[in-house]
């Protein structure tokens, strides 16, 4: 499927949209003051080891300490790769022999300097997730300097993997026979020449030597290597044979990106274009409107049905509804067609909103097994287009589809918005009447503890208006009961749930 990539650049923010067949599939944002940390390599300092959690907190110079689990330490990663297969009795399939995991307190200690790489950005109240296995991504290969493993992308057909593995092994040994380290062949290297692979190997090893040299002279909590900026990552990760054009609306950035592409990714130079139209580049496909819709809970389907997407700390839920779609034949057919369209729309929304973690999809209940299987097949087909790793199960006993999508960066909603001051992220606020009754109970509580001359209620205009109208009898009754006058003061700056009781 052909795609176009649009890049909107400004000094404070870079925005990238991936468009396929006229529809926006992905949106990526990077702000100058809020650059992501994924891929960055630091010389960290172990600030605390937690044997009970088999993890450690590492100081890498951020406001919050980063998190390192025992499974992400190199001895355990190497043991996992080297797991020997045991022979099984009675013709049973061979199984992996378990490798003992060395406790974290026996591998690292507080105050130790440790080279680490960021796996996940800080999200919410959680610090960054780290790994001790360093990987450096190139145009064609990913370099694993501490490992001798040679891997090939799972997206390359199995019949070609062994031949490609042997090519990389031979080129890596030819480039520098004394150098160690492993490589993973990326998907876009399937048709690469030996010369291109050799250049990538040399570049990655040179980068690693620079990182090691910096680690030997820099103090702990220092950044040793920063990943490419968003525009450069677009060329490295998003551009493929299906990419028709890469348009950027800044002449200066177009020149810089062209120079970068000419050195590292010459095949992409011909696809780079400077956009000089009068209309903003994102207006070409109404991308700003798509971003605005991606921040709402409801997503309308072309048939008249709709999705409701709720993102919480623990998981994301997607509810499918028929809405105004009444179908043409019968109810089962109406439900089936709505679910098929929803499967396509959900996969697109996951990419567009960059939703990750646990995702629960509640399709409309289907009676026929063949309908359920067809919807699940279509959903898996659409998810297969996702660059991010996804795992999906079948329908549960409750008729729900459970899946996970790897989360490395904040979702689009978390980047562009923040919790409402009025509802603190709940999505609802107390009614004015509920607040009135809270105030009456609070005055009664205060009257039992104190004996002021007067109580003054400072609240939002809507609450004060209700006290002056429908609730005036209850307010007067409380005033008589406590034997103190109660006055009202309207405050426009207060939200509906906010109030203050002043003792005069």
């Amino acid at each position: 499927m052909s795609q176009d990539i649009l890049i909107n650049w400004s000094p404070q923010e870079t925005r990238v949209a991936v468009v396929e067949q006229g529809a926006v599939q992905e949106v990526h944002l990077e702000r100058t003051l809020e650059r992501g940390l994924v891929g960055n390599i630091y010389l960290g300092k172990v600030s605390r080891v937690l044997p009970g959690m088999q993890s450690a907190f590492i100081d890498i110079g951020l406001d919050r300490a980063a998190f390192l689990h025992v499974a992400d330490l190199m001895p355990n990663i190497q043991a996992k790769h080297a797991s020997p297969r045991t022979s099984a009795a009675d013709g049973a399939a061979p199984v992996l022999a378990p490798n003992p995991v060395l406790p974290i307190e026996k591998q690292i200690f507080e105050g130790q300097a440790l080279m680490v790489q960021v796996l996940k950005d800080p999200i919410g109240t959680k610090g960054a997730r780290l790994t001790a296995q360093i990987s450096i991504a190139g145009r064609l290969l990913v370099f694993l300097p501490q490992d001798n493993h040679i891997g090939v992308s799972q997206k390359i057909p199995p019949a070609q993997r062994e031949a490609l593995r042997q090519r990389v092994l031979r080129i890596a040994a030819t480039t520098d026979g004394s150098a160690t380290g492993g490589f993973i062949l990326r998907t876009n290297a399937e048709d690469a020449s030996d010369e291109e692979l050799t250049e990538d190997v040399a570049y990655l090893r040179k980068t690693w030597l620079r990182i090691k040299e910096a680690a030997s002279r820099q103090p702990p909590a220092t950044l040793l290597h920063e990943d490419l900026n968003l525009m450069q990552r677009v060329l490295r990760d998003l551009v493929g044979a299906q990419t028709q054009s890469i348009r950027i609306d800044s002449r200066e950035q177009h020149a810089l990106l062209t120079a970068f592409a000419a050195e590292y990714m010459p095949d992409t130079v011909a696809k780079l274009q400077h956009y000089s139209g009068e209309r903003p580049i994102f207006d070409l496909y109404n991308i700003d409107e798509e971003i605005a819709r991606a921040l709402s809970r409801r997503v309308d389907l072309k048939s008249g049905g709709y999705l409701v997407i709720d993102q919480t700390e623990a998981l994301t839920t997607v509810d499918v509804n028929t809405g105004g779609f009444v179908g043409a034949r019968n109810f089962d057919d109406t439900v089936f067609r709505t679910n098929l369209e929803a499967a396509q729309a959900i996969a697109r929304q996951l990419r567009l909103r960059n939703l990750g973690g646990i995702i629960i999809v509640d399709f409309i209940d289907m009676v026929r097994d063949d309908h359920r299987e067809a919807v699940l097949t279509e959903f898996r087909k659409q998810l297969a287009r996702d660059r991010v790793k996804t795992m999906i199960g079948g329908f549960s006993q409750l008729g729900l589809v459970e899946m996970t999508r790897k989360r490395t960066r904040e979702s689009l909603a978390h980047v562009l918005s923040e919790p409402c001051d009025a509802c603190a992220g709940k999505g609802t606020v107390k009614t004015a009447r509920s607040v009135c009754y809270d105030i009456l109970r609070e005055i009664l509580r205060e009257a039992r503890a104190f004996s002021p001359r007067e109580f003054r209620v400072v609240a939002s205009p809507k609450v004060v208006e209700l006290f002056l109208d429908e609730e005036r009898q209850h307010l007067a009754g409380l005033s008589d009961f406590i034997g103190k006058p109660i006055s009202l003061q309207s405050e426009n700056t207060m939200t509906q749930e906010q109030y203050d009781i002043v003792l005069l």
Side-chain angles (χ1 to χ4, degrees):
M1 187 176 292
S2 63
Q3 71 175 18
D4 293 285
I5 297 177
L6 309 180
I7 303 177
N8 168 229
W9 182 87
S10 63
Q12 68 276 6
E13 183 181 58
T14 301
R15 302 190 299 170
V16 175
V18 179
V19 179
E20 294 178 0
Q21 295 185 331
V24 185
Q25 301 295 325
E26 299 176 41
V27 173
H28 302 270
L29 300 174
E30 183 175 85
R31 291 170 174 170
T32 306
L33 299 178
E34 300 174 356
R35 276 197 64 176
L37 306 175
V38 174
N40 288 0
I41 299 172
Y42 294 85
L43 183 62
K45 182 179 180 181
V46 180
S47 58
R48 191 178 178 192
V49 179
L50 305 172
M53 294 177 61
Q54 282 301 292
S55 59
F57 288 115
I58 313 293
D59 179 14
I60 58 174
L62 304 179
D63 293 338
R64 289 195 301 269
F67 180 83
L68 176 68
H69 190 261
V70 67
D72 294 314
L73 286 168
M74 275 309 299
N76 298 329
I77 293 171
Q78 290 168 340
K80 182 174 64 176
H81 287 166
S83 294
R85 291 189 175 272
T86 60
S87 57
D90 301 325
V95 295
L96 287 175
N99 284 295
V101 175
L102 197 62
I104 193 168
E105 64 269 23
K106 294 185 178 181
Q107 297 190 59
I108 61 175
F109 55 88
E110 292 186 11
Q112 177 184 352
L114 187 68
M115 189 185 298
V116 289
Q117 187 168 28
V118 178
L119 281 177
K120 294 183 180 180
D121 277 332
I123 296 176
T125 58
K126 300 176 182 177
R129 174 75 182 267
L130 304 177
T131 179
Q133 182 180 37
I134 306 301
S135 63
I136 308 169
R139 181 170 64 98
L140 306 172
L141 301 164
V142 176
F143 184 39
L144 307 173
Q146 305 145 301
D147 200 340
N148 291 321
H149 173 70
I150 302 292
V152 180
S153 168
Q154 296 296 312
K155 294 184 179 179
I156 294 177
Q160 303 177 30
R161 289 178 195 164
E162 186 56 35
L164 289 169
R165 184 180 288 107
Q166 293 302 321
R167 278 183 65 198
V168 175
L169 195 59
R170 174 175 53 79
I171 290 169
T174 305
T175 306
D176 187 349
S178 62
T180 59
F183 292 90
I184 297 175
L185 195 82
R186 297 167 65 108
T187 307
N188 60 353
E190 183 178 356
D191 300 318
S193 66
D194 285 0
E195 183 181 357
E196 291 174 320
L197 290 172
T198 301
E199 289 177 355
D200 219 35
V201 168
Y203 162 73
L204 290 169
R205 282 180 169 160
K206 183 179 179 181
T207 302
W208 172 239
L209 288 175
R210 177 178 55 79
I211 293 170
K212 282 204 305 182
E213 191 274 332
S216 65
R217 58 182 174 80
Q218 296 287 351
T222 299
L223 175 64
L224 303 176
H225 172 77
E226 189 172 27
D227 198 16
L228 303 177
N229 64 40
L230 177 57
M231 289 189 293
Q232 295 167 336
R233 293 200 308 273
V234 165
L235 296 190
R236 185 188 71 187
D237 301 332
L238 304 186
V239 177
Q242 75 279 13
T243 307
Q244 292 182 322
S245 66
I246 310 160
R247 284 179 274 182
I248 180 169
D249 59 3
S250 165
R251 188 180 302 277
E252 178 186 359
Q253 296 302 316
H254 173 262
L256 292 174
L257 204 56
T258 301
F260 175 82
E263 182 174 357
Y264 297 107
M265 300 146 202
D267 292 343
T268 64
V269 173
K271 300 177 181 180
L272 282 166
Q273 301 173 12
H274 173 237
Y275 175 76
S276 56
E278 292 184 2
R279 293 175 62 197
I281 190 170
F282 270 26
D283 284 5
L284 297 180
Y285 294 97
N286 299 319
I287 293 170
D288 285 320
E289 294 178 15
E290 286 284 354
I291 293 174
R293 282 196 288 268
L295 298 178
S296 65
R297 294 179 66 229
R298 176 168 169 152
V299 178
D300 292 317
L301 304 177
K302 291 180 180 179
S303 64
Y306 63 92
L307 312 175
V308 176
I309 302 175
D310 286 310
Q311 187 179 352
T312 68
E313 182 77 16
L315 50 81
T316 297
T317 61
V318 184
D319 186 32
V320 184
N321 299 280
T322 55
F325 182 46
V326 295
R329 284 184 283 180
N330 55 54
F331 179 72
D332 286 349
D333 184 64
T334 300
V335 168
F336 177 56
R337 290 178 178 274
T338 303
N339 282 338
L340 273 181
E341 185 184 3
Q344 301 172 10
I346 292 168
R348 175 173 173 258
Q349 289 296 323
L350 296 182
R351 296 194 298 271
L352 184 61
R353 298 171 184 239
N354 193 25
L355 297 174
I358 300 171
I359 299 163
I360 306 295
V361 182
D362 184 11
F363 287 105
I364 306 169
D365 289 340
M366 292 172 283
V367 177
R368 293 172 50 178
D369 290 340
D370 60 328
H371 282 178
R372 290 157 67 99
E373 197 58 40
V375 168
L376 202 57
T377 300
E378 178 64 22
F379 194 30
R380 287 191 171 118
K381 175 185 171 184
Q382 296 297 325
L383 290 174
R385 298 169 53 194
D386 203 332
R387 305 174 206 279
V388 178
K389 183 180 179 181
T390 59
M391 294 179 61
I392 178 173
F395 281 92
S396 70
Q397 291 184 340
L398 298 177
L400 306 174
V401 175
E402 301 171 0
M403 64 166 290
T404 61
R405 186 172 186 268
K406 187 177 180 181
R407 175 165 52 194
T408 57
R409 291 185 168 89
E410 293 270 22
S411 68
L412 189 67
H414 284 161
V415 171
L416 295 178
S417 57
E418 62 184 11
C420 166
D421 287 337
C423 69
K426 298 195 301 287
T428 58
V429 295
K430 284 185 177 181
T431 64
R433 196 178 305 279
S434 296
V435 177
C436 284
Y437 295 164
D438 285 345
I439 291 172
L440 294 177
R441 283 190 291 270
E442 183 66 22
I443 291 174
L444 184 58
R445 187 180 298 112
E446 295 288 339
R448 288 170 176 164
F450 305 100
S451 182
R453 177 173 50 85
E454 176 188 340
F455 289 92
R456 176 168 296 170
V457 176
V458 183
S460 66
K462 196 169 182 180
V463 171
V464 170
E465 183 181 348
L466 198 60
F467 267 134
L468 293 174
D469 188 12
E470 298 175 22
E471 297 296 335
R472 66 180 184 276
Q473 185 176 352
H474 292 141
L475 187 67
L478 179 62
S479 179
D480 291 340
F481 179 76
I482 63 176
K484 304 288 183 182
I486 302 173
S487 60
L488 301 171
Q489 178 180 327
S490 177
E491 181 57 64
N492 291 323
T493 60
M494 283 187 167
T495 64
Q496 188 161 292
E497 288 190 349
Q498 290 178 318
Y499 63 86
D500 194 12
I501 298 173
V502 183
L503 308 182
L504 300 175

